[in-house]
């Protein structure tokens, strides 16, 4: 895939799919009947989320690389980190280790939030999307990271509140990518 518009559409589709896969999958996987078909389907959905998250990072590399190769690789690594921890958490959840799932989820989201700040900075500097959208992403991912870290330190519900701005950004960003794609590369912006 070399066409930036095709890549943008694929990323937008995967971002929206990831919401559904993880959200529905975690609900099914934490069901009351361990070993049931619903729990198995939930685990499969959560693991498909991992594949989607890792693919997002890989697909964005050629779009970001002309503007900042380190951020392109760092963002891919961030998504790999997130996906790996979410997969560990999914397996732990199905095995009944709810505390490990909690820890894995919040560390994954904190990592995603922190790593994605640089991604949003490149989006902003390179004008790959409207600057207001990039700023919204920066705010959203900062909230995700902050909420997850606070949750890890015992502030119940902080990750849910922190995830809201990040989720709104990802839904809006995904929609933008599906409809408009990314702007043609302009002058290379150092990040």
């Amino acid at each position: 895939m070399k066409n930036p518009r095709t890549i943008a559409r694929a990323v937008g589709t995967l971002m929206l799919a990831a919401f559904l896969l993880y959200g529905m999958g975690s609900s099914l996987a934490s069901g009351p009947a361990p070993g049931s078909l619903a729990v198995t389907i939930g685990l499969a959905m959560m693991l498909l989320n991992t594949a989607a998250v890792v693919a997002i990072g890989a697909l964005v590399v050629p779009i970001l690389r002309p503007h900042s190769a380190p951020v392109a690789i760092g963002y891919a690594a961030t998504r790999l980190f997130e996906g790996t921890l979410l997969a560990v958490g999914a397996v732990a959840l199905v095995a009944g280790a709810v505390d490990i799932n909690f820890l894995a989820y919040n560390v994954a989201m904190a990592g995603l939030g922190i790593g994605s700040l640089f991604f949003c900075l490149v989006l902003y500097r390179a004008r790959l999307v409207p600057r207001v959208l990039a700023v919204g992403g920066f705010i959203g991912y900062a909230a995700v990271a902050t909420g997850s870290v606070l949750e890890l330190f015992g502030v119940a519900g902080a990750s849910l509140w922190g995830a809201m701005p990040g989720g709104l950004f990802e839904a809006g960003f995904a929609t933008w990518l599906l409809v408009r794609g990314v702007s043609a590369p302009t002058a290379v912006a150092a990040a």
Side-chain angles (χ1 to χ4, degrees):
M1 234 186 285
K2 292 185 180 187
N3 181 338
R5 184 142 176 94
T6 303
I7 293 170
R9 284 187 173 148
V11 169
T13 300
L14 287 169
M15 283 185 145
L16 294 175
F19 274 122
L20 294 174
L21 289 169
Y22 193 85
M24 291 171 53
S26 62
S27 292
L28 291 171
S30 59
S36 71
L37 180 60
V39 170
T40 303
I41 291 170
L43 174 62
M45 291 176 79
M46 291 174 80
L47 294 176
L48 283 172
N49 170 71
T50 290
V53 162
V54 172
I56 290 166
L59 286 170
V60 169
V61 169
I63 292 173
L64 294 181
R65 187 181 296 127
H67 306 285
S68 176
V71 171
I73 299 306
Y75 184 71
T78 294
R79 287 297 188 158
L80 179 61
F81 176 80
E82 173 198 7
T84 301
L85 285 176
L86 291 178
V88 167
V91 172
L93 181 63
V94 170
V98 177
D99 290 345
I100 292 173
N101 177 56
F102 170 85
L103 179 64
Y105 175 82
N106 282 294
V107 171
M109 293 299 101
L112 170 67
I114 293 165
S116 295
L117 295 174
F118 301 100
F119 167 70
C120 291
L121 184 61
V122 171
L123 291 178
Y124 181 87
R125 285 184 176 175
R127 298 178 187 254
L128 291 170
V129 296
R131 285 187 156 185
V132 68
L133 189 56
V135 169
F138 197 88
I139 293 166
Y141 284 127
V144 167
T146 302
S148 294
V149 169
L150 289 172
E151 188 84 34
L152 288 168
F153 282 101
V155 180
S159 68
L160 176 63
W161 286 102
M164 287 181 197
L168 285 172
F169 163 72
E170 284 199 354
F173 181 65
T175 302
W176 181 269
L177 292 177
L178 286 168
V179 174
R180 301 289 303 265
V182 292
S183 299
T186 56
V188 174

